[in-house]
């Protein structure tokens, strides 16, 4: 059997100019292969140059120390491997003779831990004292705080890891047929200390149990041992597994954490008290458990998968394992036979071991579903490691740069490109973000403008010394992303591939589209909506991509929301610059109308594009946690909040004097009227509240507002206790809010975006000095309740909502104090300057190349652009929400295509020419998919013939035949 053990490379690799990391480890080159396989694969797959310092075989029993000759200054960081980190004493001694101890080392300090149940508390203290940056831990996130309390370890990034992974070599091992395996049941256990508890005993106990059960079965060949002298190392271990039909196993780890060492001390005393007892017997362990160990057993859930399980599966052996979770990877009765701890199904387990057909089925399932799953490969672990390290390096260097700036360094003028798929003034967060970014960057904002009365040529507007705003027509593109597959260096372009995938989805006929994306439950309206969004993404991203290429000269890109991410990724790849992604929402879940297949399509696309994002941001910690969980990339949070300078010197005391002259209490909601924003919940209960409570609902006119007014009229509330004052401009929202006494955030937590929202109105209310009444929204609640700024109540509970409203009225005399507290919190904490400071600091560290004294942006192409003749738009964009504008654009697109058939023919002609090369490639790459499309093609031809004039139809048919591989190639 071939070797499955890539060897670590010792010494610096010649010609490498990558950032260097020193890995301190301990392994016997002829010892357990799992350890040096881990190190070798880490080196092989990492983007960093990892140099090995192996402290094996030690020096006469002395504590492990890094030699004083090691120059730590030449490394970007140090990695302490788990093989050297078992004992706290080893860790604390490592840097004793270095010129500078670890806490003074400016590079990253990374600790990899396994066996975290031993003297646990000392590791948290070590991390804190030595100021480690990253800890690689086998603890599940739910148990992490027990072992590494944040208040002790400080600002540490954690990487969850399994105890082992599957290497390329392991996946390539030859698997013998069951009939050629001479060993029926095999196992190599281990003798673990008594203080490791139940799981420690089971590592030898399962061998004892199965050996006893099979002792009188001469037809079974059994090779089971837990003695150290019987251990098998190197390639012989994989030969042993390859000769075994069934391998026994138990969960790795220990659920008994000895935080202080007291459990180990008790066990040594217990062993002294019973010197003649068999220390390896179950009775010896059971007595210790009953006397003392039960007090600690299960204090931390640390049972997990073992590398042995992966290795057995890779070698084609079936497995009999004690019942357990196995990190949720191995499934009982599919990947292993679960042996009960009371051995009540031992006979069934033996029958399983005799059934070659069942053994093969289990082994094949484990191989195909686990061994071949990339999630458990070394590449996946190392990619995650590299990503976290890159992120932490940027943070560390950013903080260092900030310190140097305070000490007198003048930051260079660098350039940043901000992309948005809408009119830039629609979203105030764009202005806030850009204005703050301009403190250290010259900023060019590029937005798409389709609503200015005429379809415009590109325009450029100078906003300030360091801010320029460009508006482009979404038709500004050459569609060259269709033909381009690679970046200038020949590598694949993630952004261009995404745009191409969306484009092709938009072009497929409805039913083939449904088959391609798994939309089996879709109606034609569902598919038309999906296809329109595809067209929107393609059109706007193509325009942004073209404008970004022409403008050029940027050191950083900021993608504003998901609508711009494909173009932003493509530009970041082409110009080799960092990319900040400001996700204002979890976009795949933004529309309630989306079907499951739409959500999956857009979420999959967003996850793939995140591979190239340097710094993902969203609007609340809760939403950041959710997106990190779903996508596997850490998100920073930057809540929506008004800048201090926008709030100005607001005269709160004067407003309170005027408020005191009124008997009523005005509750206000400001913002666009839309379903799931909770307006109707308020109207439903307002006839039951104290009549002194007045409700103001302020926002732009739309159909939903009219429906709300009708509902208030029906209840006899309109213009009596419920009012709809005129909408005000964005700049006047703060002053408008101060006309009231209490601000309401009524959003219904029916979606993740609502539940974890960070609405602008929250900080606007606080800036105006309004206490807040909010629905049960996680982030809003954390501010309102956590800072004693108002009341949170479940708006679905009508009685509780009425009680909360009446309480504000009853405590009217306390409102001035609540108002002062609200504004004070805004000024000290929930303002843009305060909340954005860590993000801007991190962004500052992303750009390493120096800035220039003269702008490198090129705006000359705008002056050369030609006007386009496009349909006019009669409704002002200022009167509509961003969502309404998107819907209007969809309608405009459909109407324009139906009204101008010649334009449609021109579009088909142009697309036909430009897609020729791409369609040829698709025929070659996806022959099976093309073959399947043939079955639906004839029906689609009939539909096209009925829908298009003869000349246009001929063009469409010719292009369609080329797509499905049935027409001529010329």
């Amino acid at each position: 059997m071939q070797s499955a053990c890539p060897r670590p490379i010792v010494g610096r690799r010649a010609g490498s100019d990558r950032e260097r990391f020193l890995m301190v480890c301990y392994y016997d080159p002829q010892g357990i292969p799992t350890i040096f396989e881990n190190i070798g694969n880490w080196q092989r797959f990492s983007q960093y140059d990892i140099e090995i310092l192996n402290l094996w075989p030690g020096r006469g029993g002395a504590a492990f120390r890094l030699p004083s000759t090691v120059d730590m200054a030449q490394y970007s960081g140090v990695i302490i491997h788990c093989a050297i980190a078992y004992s706290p004493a080893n860790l604390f001694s490592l840097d004793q003779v270095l010129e500078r101890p670890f806490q003074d080392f400016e590079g990253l300090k990374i600790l990899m831990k396994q066996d975290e149940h031993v003297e646990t508390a000392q590791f948290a203290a070590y991390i804190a004292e030595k100021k480690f940056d990253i800890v690689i831990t086998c603890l599940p996130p739910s148990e992490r705080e027990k072992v590494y309390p944040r208040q002790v370890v400080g600002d540490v990034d954690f990487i969850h890891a399994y105890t082992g992974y599957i290497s390329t070599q392991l996946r390539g091992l030859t698997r013998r047929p069951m009939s050629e395996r001479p060993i029926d049941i095999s196992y190599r256990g281990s003798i673990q200390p008594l203080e490791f508890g139940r799981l420690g005993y089971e590592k030898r106990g399962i061998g004892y149990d199965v050996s006893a059960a099979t002792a009188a079965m001469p037809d079974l060949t059994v090779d089971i041992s837990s003695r150290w002298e019987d251990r098998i190392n190197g390639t012989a271990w994989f030969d042993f597994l390859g000769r075994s039909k069934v391998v026994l196993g138990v969960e790795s780890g220990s659920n008994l954490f000895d935080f202080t060492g007291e459990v180990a001390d008790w066990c040594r005393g217990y062993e002294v008290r019973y010197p003649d007892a068999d220390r390896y017997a179950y009775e010896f362990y059971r007595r210790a458990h009953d006397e003392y160990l039960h007090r600690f057993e299960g204090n931390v859930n640390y049972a997990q998968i073992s590398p042995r399980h992966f290795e057995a599966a890779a070698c084609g052996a079936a497995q009999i394992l004690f019942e357990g979770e196995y990190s949720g990877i191995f499934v009982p009765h599919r990947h292993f036979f679960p042996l009960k701890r009371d051995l009540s199904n031992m006979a069934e387990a033996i029958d399983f071991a005799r059934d070659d057909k069942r053994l093969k089925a289990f082994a094949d399932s484990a191989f195909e579903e686990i061994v071949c799953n990339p999630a458990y490969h070394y590449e996946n672990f190392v990619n995650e490691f590299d990503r976290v390290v890159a992120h932490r390096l940027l943070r560390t260097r950013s903080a260092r740069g900030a310190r140097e700036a305070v000490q007198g360094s003048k930051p260079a003028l660098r350039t940043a490109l901000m992309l948005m798929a809408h009119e830039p003034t629609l979203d105030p967060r764009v202005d806030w973000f850009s204005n703050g970014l301009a403190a250290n960057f010259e900023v060019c904002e590029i937005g798409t403008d389709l609503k200015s009365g005429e379809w415009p040529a590109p325009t450029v507007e100078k906003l300030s010394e360091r801010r320029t705003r460009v508006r482009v027509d979404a038709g500004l593109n050459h569609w060259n992303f269709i033909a381009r597959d690679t970046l200038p260096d020949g590598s694949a372009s993630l952004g261009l591939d995404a745009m191409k995938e969306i484009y092709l989805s938009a072009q497929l006929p409805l039913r083939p589209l449904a088959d391609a994306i798994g939309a089996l439950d879709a109606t034609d309206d569902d598919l038309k909506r999906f296809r329109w969004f595809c067209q929107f993404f393609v059109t706007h991203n193509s325009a942004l991509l073209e404008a970004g290429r022409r403008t050029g000269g940027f050191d950083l890109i900021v993608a504003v929301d998901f609508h711009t991410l494909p173009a932003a990724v493509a530009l970041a790849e082409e110009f080799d610059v960092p990319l900040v992604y400001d996700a204002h929402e979890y976009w795949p879940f933004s529309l309630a109308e989306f079907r499951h297949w739409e959500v999956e399509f857009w979420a999959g696309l967003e996850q793939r594009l995140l591979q190239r994002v340097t710094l993902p941001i969203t609007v609340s910690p809760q939403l950041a946690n959710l997106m990190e969980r779903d996508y596997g990339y850490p998100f920073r949070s930057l809540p929506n909040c008004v800048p201090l300078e926008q709030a100005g010197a607001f005269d709160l005391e004067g407003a309170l004097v005027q408020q005191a002259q009124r008997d009523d209490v005005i509750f206000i909601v400001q913002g666009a009227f839309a379903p799931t924003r909770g307006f109707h919940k308020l109207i439903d209960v307002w006839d039951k509240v104290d009549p002194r409570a007045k409700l103001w609902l302020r926002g732009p006119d739309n159909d939903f507002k009219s429906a709300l007014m009708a509902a208030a009229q029906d209840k006899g509330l309109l213009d009596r206790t419920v009012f709809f004052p005129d909408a005000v401009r964005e700049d006047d929202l703060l002053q408008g809010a101060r006309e009231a006494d209490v601000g309401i955030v009524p959003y219904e937590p029916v979606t993740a975006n609502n539940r974890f929202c960070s609405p602008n109105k929250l900080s606007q209310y606080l800036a105006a000095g309004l206490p807040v009444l909010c629905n049960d929204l996680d982030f809003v609640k954390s501010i309102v309740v956590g800072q004693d700024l108002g009341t949170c109540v479940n708006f679905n509970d009508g009685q509780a909502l009425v009680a909360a409203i009446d309480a504000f009225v009853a405590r009217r005399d306390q409102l001035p104090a609540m108002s002062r507290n609200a504004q004070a919190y805004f000024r000290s904490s929930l303002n843009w300057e305060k909340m954005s400071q860590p993000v801007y600091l991190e962004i500052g560290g992303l750009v390493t190349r120096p800035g220039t004294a003269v702008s490198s942006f090129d705006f000359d192409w705008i002056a050369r652009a030609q006007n386009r003749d496009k349909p006019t738009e009669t409704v002002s964009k200022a009167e509509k929400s961003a969502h309404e504008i998107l819907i209007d654009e969809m309608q405009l697109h459909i109407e324009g295509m139906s009204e101008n058939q010649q334009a449609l023919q021109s579009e088909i002609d142009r697309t036909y020419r430009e897609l020729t090369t791409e369609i040829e490639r698709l025929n070659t790459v996806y022959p099976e998919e093309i073959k399947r499309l043939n079955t639906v093609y004839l029906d689609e031809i009939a539909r096209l013939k009925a829908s298009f004039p003869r000349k246009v139809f001929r063009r469409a048919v010719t292009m369609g035949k080329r797509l499905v591989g049935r027409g001529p190639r010329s």
Side-chain angles (χ1 to χ4, degrees):
M1 182 171 285
Q2 65 196 63
S3 172
C5 308
R7 314 296 299 191
I9 300 172
V10 179
R12 187 176 184 184
R13 281 171 275 189
S16 174
D17 58 356
R18 298 179 295 174
E19 294 202 67
R20 300 166 64 195
F21 279 76
L22 180 67
M23 178 179 283
V24 183
C25 52
Y26 182 93
Y27 65 90
D28 179 349
Q30 299 301 318
I32 300 173
T34 305
I35 298 176
F36 53 78
E37 178 189 69
N38 173 275
I39 297 168
N41 278 292
W42 209 333
Q43 286 182 305
R44 177 183 178 187
F45 295 117
S46 179
Q47 70 186 46
Y48 301 106
D49 189 353
I50 297 177
E51 299 180 27
I52 301 301
L53 175 55
N54 184 7
L55 298 182
W56 180 87
R59 297 185 180 275
F64 293 121
R65 292 188 177 93
L66 271 66
S68 59
T69 54
V70 173
D71 181 11
M72 294 297 297
Q74 64 184 313
Y75 298 104
S76 297
V78 60
I79 306 166
I80 310 300
H81 193 267
C82 60
I84 202 78
Y86 181 87
S87 163
N90 286 344
L91 288 178
F92 278 101
S93 67
L94 281 176
D95 61 347
Q96 284 185 353
V97 298
L98 293 180
E99 182 177 351
R100 301 178 68 189
F102 284 157
Q103 59 264 38
D104 295 334
F105 173 50
E106 292 189 347
L108 289 192
K109 296 173 282 290
I110 303 166
L111 176 64
M112 182 188 188
K113 271 298 296 174
Q114 294 183 10
D115 300 304
E116 290 158 281
H117 49 283
V118 179
E119 299 182 83
T120 305
Q122 292 197 51
F123 293 111
Y126 177 78
I127 292 166
E129 178 180 326
K130 299 299 181 180
K131 299 180 180 178
F132 270 71
D133 302 283
I134 297 172
V135 173
I136 304 170
T137 173
C138 296
L139 283 160
S142 60
E143 302 292 276
R144 191 181 295 156
E145 186 66 19
K146 296 179 183 179
V147 177
Y148 302 115
R150 182 64 70 179
Q151 63 180 8
V152 175
V153 300
D155 182 22
V156 173
D157 289 329
F158 290 97
I159 301 174
H160 177 260
Y162 301 122
T163 53
Y165 289 85
I166 300 167
S167 67
T168 304
Q169 292 79 8
L170 199 58
R171 302 196 291 270
L173 291 175
T174 301
R175 294 180 294 145
R176 299 182 186 180
M178 288 294 171
S179 60
E180 297 180 10
R181 296 172 181 251
I183 304 173
D184 290 298
I185 303 175
S186 73
Y187 183 60
R188 284 298 180 269
S190 61
I191 306 297
Q192 299 294 331
L194 189 60
E195 59 267 24
F196 284 19
R198 177 178 61 82
L199 288 178
Y201 168 76
E202 287 180 352
K203 287 177 174 59
R204 61 183 184 273
I206 191 172
Y208 296 164
D209 294 334
V210 175
S211 292
T214 58
M217 299 178 182
D219 61 312
L220 290 178
T221 301
V222 176
D223 190 340
I224 296 174
S225 175
S226 294
R227 300 190 308 168
W228 182 263
E229 55 267 33
D230 292 334
R231 291 179 73 88
I232 305 171
N233 293 325
T235 58
W237 169 245
F238 299 103
D239 291 334
F240 178 67
L241 295 176
R243 290 184 291 110
S244 304
K245 293 183 177 181
V246 175
V247 175
L248 304 178
V250 300
E251 286 185 295
S252 182
S254 169
N255 290 334
L256 193 162
F257 270 56
D258 186 3
F259 282 86
T260 63
E262 61 184 293
V263 179
D265 290 343
W266 184 90
C267 289
R268 299 296 83 75
Y270 172 82
E271 291 165 351
V272 170
R273 283 189 285 122
Y274 300 101
D276 298 327
D278 181 356
R279 296 186 180 183
Y280 305 144
Y282 174 75
E283 292 74 15
F284 187 77
Y285 155 72
R286 186 67 201 187
R287 181 191 296 164
H289 172 84
D290 293 342
E291 286 188 20
Y292 182 78
L293 298 182
H294 70 275
R295 305 179 194 175
F296 301 89
E297 185 70 57
N299 57 356
V300 176
N301 179 17
Y302 197 55
Q304 59 198 278
I305 198 76
S306 163
R308 295 291 183 88
H309 303 124
F310 288 142
E311 292 162 358
C315 291
Q319 299 182 63
I320 294 177
L321 311 177
F322 270 153
E323 292 178 314
E325 293 296 324
Y326 296 91
S327 302
I329 298 173
F330 280 76
V331 178
H333 299 293
R334 182 172 184 82
H335 303 134
F336 71 93
F337 181 92
L339 179 62
K340 296 182 182 297
R341 287 182 170 79
D342 64 4
L343 310 181
S344 58
N345 66 339
M346 178 65 80
E348 186 181 347
I350 300 301
D351 289 342
F352 170 77
R354 289 189 169 113
D355 189 340
D356 281 7
K357 184 176 180 180
R358 288 185 70 195
L359 296 181
K360 181 180 185 301
F362 275 56
D364 287 349
S365 294
F367 186 85
E368 293 165 5
E369 297 168 12
I370 297 175
V371 177
C372 295
N373 189 334
Y376 313 125
H377 296 175
Y378 269 109
E379 296 94 318
N380 186 61
F381 163 69
V382 177
N383 286 341
E384 173 68 4
F385 168 81
D386 284 354
R387 182 184 61 79
V388 176
V389 167
H391 190 263
R392 188 72 184 210
L393 278 172
L394 290 172
R395 287 182 57 196
T396 302
R397 289 166 180 171
S398 173
R400 191 180 306 149
R403 290 194 299 269
E404 293 171 355
V406 170
Q407 295 166 3
S409 300
K410 184 177 180 179
L413 181 62
R414 295 163 293 182
T415 52
L417 186 71
M418 286 187 68
L419 303 178
M420 59 225 68
H422 53 72
E423 158 59 37
T425 59
L426 279 178
D427 189 345
R429 184 178 173 100
V430 170
D431 191 64
W432 304 340
F433 204 109
S434 178
N435 199 46
L437 196 61
N440 292 300
F441 289 84
E442 181 182 2
V443 182
C444 173
E445 307 164 17
I446 301 181
T448 49
D449 184 1
L450 300 179
K451 293 290 174 180
S452 61
E454 294 184 357
W455 290 62
T459 62
V460 60
E461 177 186 3
K462 192 71 174 176
L463 302 178
S464 67
E465 181 183 356
R466 292 191 177 182
R467 288 181 62 193
T468 303
R469 180 172 289 163
V470 172
R471 294 176 174 87
V472 297
D473 177 356
L476 174 72
N477 58 72
H478 290 169
W479 300 93
N480 55 8
F481 71 89
I482 296 173
R484 291 180 61 175
D485 284 320
T486 62
L487 298 171
D489 65 359
S491 60
S493 169
L494 192 64
L496 296 181
D497 283 349
M499 293 175 66
K500 195 176 301 183
E501 178 183 357
I502 301 170
Y503 178 83
L504 292 175
S505 297
Q507 304 310 308
L508 283 174
L510 295 185
R511 287 300 109 190
L513 172 62
D515 290 342
I517 61 176
L520 303 183
D521 64 336
T523 65
D524 284 359
D525 286 342
D526 292 334
L527 292 168
K528 288 175 182 176
R529 177 186 61 243
F530 173 76
R531 201 159 61 174
W532 180 84
F533 272 105
C534 288
Q535 185 65 46
F536 176 87
F537 266 75
V538 168
T539 304
H540 287 256
N541 278 271
S542 299
L544 293 171
L545 177 63
E546 188 67 26
R549 285 170 172 169
R550 295 184 186 185
T551 302
F554 43 85
D555 302 307
L556 174 81
I557 298 175
V558 178
V560 176
D561 236 324
F562 181 47
H563 311 95
T564 70
L565 194 55
V569 168
L571 288 169
E573 292 174 315
E574 291 178 16
F575 287 81
D576 192 24
V577 296
L579 171 58
V580 176
Y581 174 35
D582 188 23
H584 297 184
E585 60 187 343
Y586 197 172
W587 195 87
F589 294 90
S590 60
L591 289 183
E593 298 91 341
F594 276 177
R595 306 296 298 167
H596 67 93
W597 44 268
E598 290 176 276
V599 171
E600 291 166 3
F601 177 90
W602 295 115
L605 185 72
E606 187 169 22
Q607 185 176 39
R608 292 197 300 276
L609 291 171
L610 279 166
Q611 297 176 54
R612 185 51 182 81
V613 173
T614 318
L615 178 61
I617 302 168
T618 193
V619 296
S620 73
Q622 293 82 1
L623 194 58
N625 290 338
L626 175 64
M627 295 177 76
E628 177 176 348
R629 185 200 72 185
D630 288 356
Y631 287 150
Y633 296 93
F635 277 73
R636 288 281 180 266
S637 67
L638 175 52
N640 289 313
C641 43
V642 179
L644 283 170
E645 62 177 10
Q646 185 175 327
F650 191 84
D651 183 11
L652 178 59
E653 295 304 320
L656 292 177
V657 170
Q658 295 181 9
Q659 174 184 302
Q661 298 172 6
R662 290 188 281 104
D663 292 330
D664 53 13
V665 176
I666 299 175
F667 295 76
I668 193 169
V669 185
Q670 297 191 138
F673 294 99
T676 75
R677 290 202 169 187
F679 293 100
H680 64 286
K681 299 282 187 183
L682 295 168
I683 292 177
D684 286 347
V685 304
W686 215 263
D687 59 340
K688 303 177 182 66
V689 304
D690 190 309
R692 291 174 294 173
K694 303 297 189 288
L695 177 62
W696 287 14
L697 302 178
R698 172 180 279 153
D701 294 340
N702 62 18
D703 290 343
F704 193 71
K705 177 180 178 180
S706 299
L708 291 171
M709 294 178 71
Q713 180 71 52
D714 291 345
K715 295 175 75 71
L717 302 175
L718 187 64
D719 296 332
R720 290 181 56 250
T721 56
V722 177
F723 302 85
F724 290 82
D726 292 338
V728 298
R729 297 184 306 114
E730 181 76 28
D731 293 344
D732 297 327
L733 284 173
L734 288 182
Q735 191 65 42
R738 191 53 260 179
E739 297 173 359
D741 303 296
V742 179
I744 304 180
V745 183
Y747 295 3
E748 299 175 63
V750 293
T751 66
N753 284 309
N754 274 18
R755 178 183 171 190
F756 301 141
C757 68
S758 170
N760 296 345
K761 58 176 60 67
L762 175 61
S763 73
Q764 290 168 347
Y765 293 155
L766 299 181
L770 297 189
V772 176
L773 169 64
C774 69
N775 206 340
D776 193 6
L777 309 168
D778 290 37
F779 172 71
V780 178
K781 179 180 180 180
S782 71
I783 300 296
V784 173
V785 176
Q787 302 300 324
D788 195 22
L789 303 176
T791 300
C792 177
V793 65
N794 184 344
F795 279 31
N796 287 325
D797 186 341
Q799 291 184 345
L801 180 56
V802 169
I805 295 166
D806 287 348
F808 276 105
V809 178
R811 294 182 297 161
R812 194 184 189 293
D813 59 328
Q814 300 177 26
L815 289 179
M818 297 171 70
S819 295
R820 296 184 184 98
N821 187 36
Q823 191 180 72
Y825 182 75
F826 163 75
R827 294 192 176 280
S828 67
S829 301
L830 196 66
N831 59 76
W832 185 263
E833 290 85 348
K834 178 74 172 182
M835 299 300 291
S836 65
Q837 185 178 11
V839 172
Y840 287 134
L841 188 66
E842 195 161 351
I843 290 174
L846 300 181
V847 179
T848 56
R849 56 192 182 203
T852 60
V854 180
S855 173
S856 53
F857 289 133
D858 177 12
F859 299 119
D860 289 345
W861 65 272
I862 296 176
R864 298 190 298 266
Q866 305 244 338
N867 290 329
R868 289 179 174 82
D869 181 19
K870 295 286 183 179
T872 60
E873 174 61 45
T874 59
V875 181
S876 168
K877 66 176 178 288
E879 299 174 358
K880 300 194 175 186
S881 70
H883 180 67
E884 290 173 319
I885 288 176
L886 290 181
I887 300 304
D888 285 349
E889 289 175 19
M890 177 168 64
Q891 187 63 36
L892 183 65
H893 176 76
I894 294 171
E895 291 173 357
M897 294 295 281
S898 62
E899 291 172 2
N900 193 338
Q901 191 64 58
Q902 186 170 348
L904 175 59
Q905 178 178 331
S906 175
E907 176 75 6
I908 291 176
D909 286 344
R910 180 168 61 82
T911 304
Y912 171 78
R913 291 192 303 270
E914 294 179 349
L915 277 176
T916 296
T917 302
E918 178 61 18
I919 291 172
E920 293 288 349
R921 187 182 72 83
L922 289 173
N923 263 298
T924 303
V925 177
Y926 303 109
E928 293 302 320
E929 179 68 14
I930 299 302
K931 181 179 179 181
R932 185 175 61 81
L933 288 179
N934 284 331
T935 61
V936 297
Y937 180 63
L938 292 178
D939 289 342
E940 189 59 26
I941 289 293
R943 189 191 68 79
L944 290 172
K945 191 170 185 178
S947 303
F948 293 100
R950 184 176 180 85
K951 183 178 180 181
V952 178
F953 170 72
R954 284 201 306 269
R955 283 289 191 184
V957 169
T958 302
M959 185 167 64
K961 285 183 177 180
R962 293 171 61 83
L963 177 62
V964 299
R966 298 186 59 171
R969 300 290 180 178
S970 59

